[in-house]
């Protein structure tokens, strides 16, 4: 895959997905209500980084997780790329909780420039490790912890 196509994929993920206002609202609201302090829930605010395994691009990553139903959570992400470009996206994931660990997975259609985005991972009360893969050829990791 050409470098230009990879950059377009990343831009589609970070820039063309709705959620900018939604992310800032979710982050501010979660910070004020201190949901991040509940060790029995995946809900709340998270900070960390992402890294592409294809081209080694990386950046900062923030996330707000909200419970939607008993086994469904919404992840609101805000990522940086090249230190100056930021973007937001939202993905809904099915979860399964066993012995202190949540396993989650979700798919989002990012449209013609981004294709399908696949997201799987595990979370404890203190950390999240996830993998992502794009139909357009990029894949990588998200590593997050409580702030």
């Amino acid at each position: 895959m050409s470098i230009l196509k990879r950059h377009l994929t990343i831009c589609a993920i970070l820039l063309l997905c709705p959620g900018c206002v939604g992310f800032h609202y979710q982050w501010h609201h979660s910070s004020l209500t201190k949901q991040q302090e509940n060790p029995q829930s995946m809900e709340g605010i998270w900070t960390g980084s992402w890294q592409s395994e294809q081209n080694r691009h990386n950046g900062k990553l923030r996330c707000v997780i909200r419970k939607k139903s008993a086994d469904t959570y919404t992840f609101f992400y805000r990522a940086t790329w090249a230190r100056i470009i930021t973007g937001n996206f939202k993905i809904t994931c099915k979860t399964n909780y066993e012995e202190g660990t949540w396993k989650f997975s979700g798919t989002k259609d990012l449209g013609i420039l981004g294709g399908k985005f696949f997201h799987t991972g595990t979370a404890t009360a203190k950390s999240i490790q996830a993998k992502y893969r794009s139909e357009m050829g990029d894949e990588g990791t998200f590593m997050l912890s409580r702030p």
Side-chain angles (χ1 to χ4, degrees), residues 20 25 31 73 78 87 106 127 134:
C20 183
Y25 171 80
S31 294
Y73 286 79
R78 180 167 180 84
S127 67
S134 166

Side-chain angles (χ1 to χ4, degrees), residues 30-85:
S30 293
S31 294
L32 289 177
T33 59
K34 303 218 184 273
Q35 285 183 331
Q36 70 273 18
E37 294 178 5
N38 183 355
Q40 301 302 314
S41 176
M42 190 167 55
E43 286 188 283
I45 61 175
W46 298 83
T47 60
S49 61
W50 67 272
Q51 180 162 343
S52 169
E53 293 174 4
Q54 297 297 315
N55 54 33
R56 308 317 268 172
H57 290 163
N58 60 74
K60 292 180 183 178
L61 184 66
R62 292 191 299 165
C63 182
V64 176
I65 300 175
R66 292 277 190 197
K67 190 171 189 174
K68 191 171 181 179
S69 67
D71 68 344
T72 305
Y73 286 79
T74 302
F75 292 63
F76 297 86
Y77 282 109
R78 180 167 180 84
T80 63
W81 178 60
R83 295 186 181 158
I84 57 169
I85 300 170

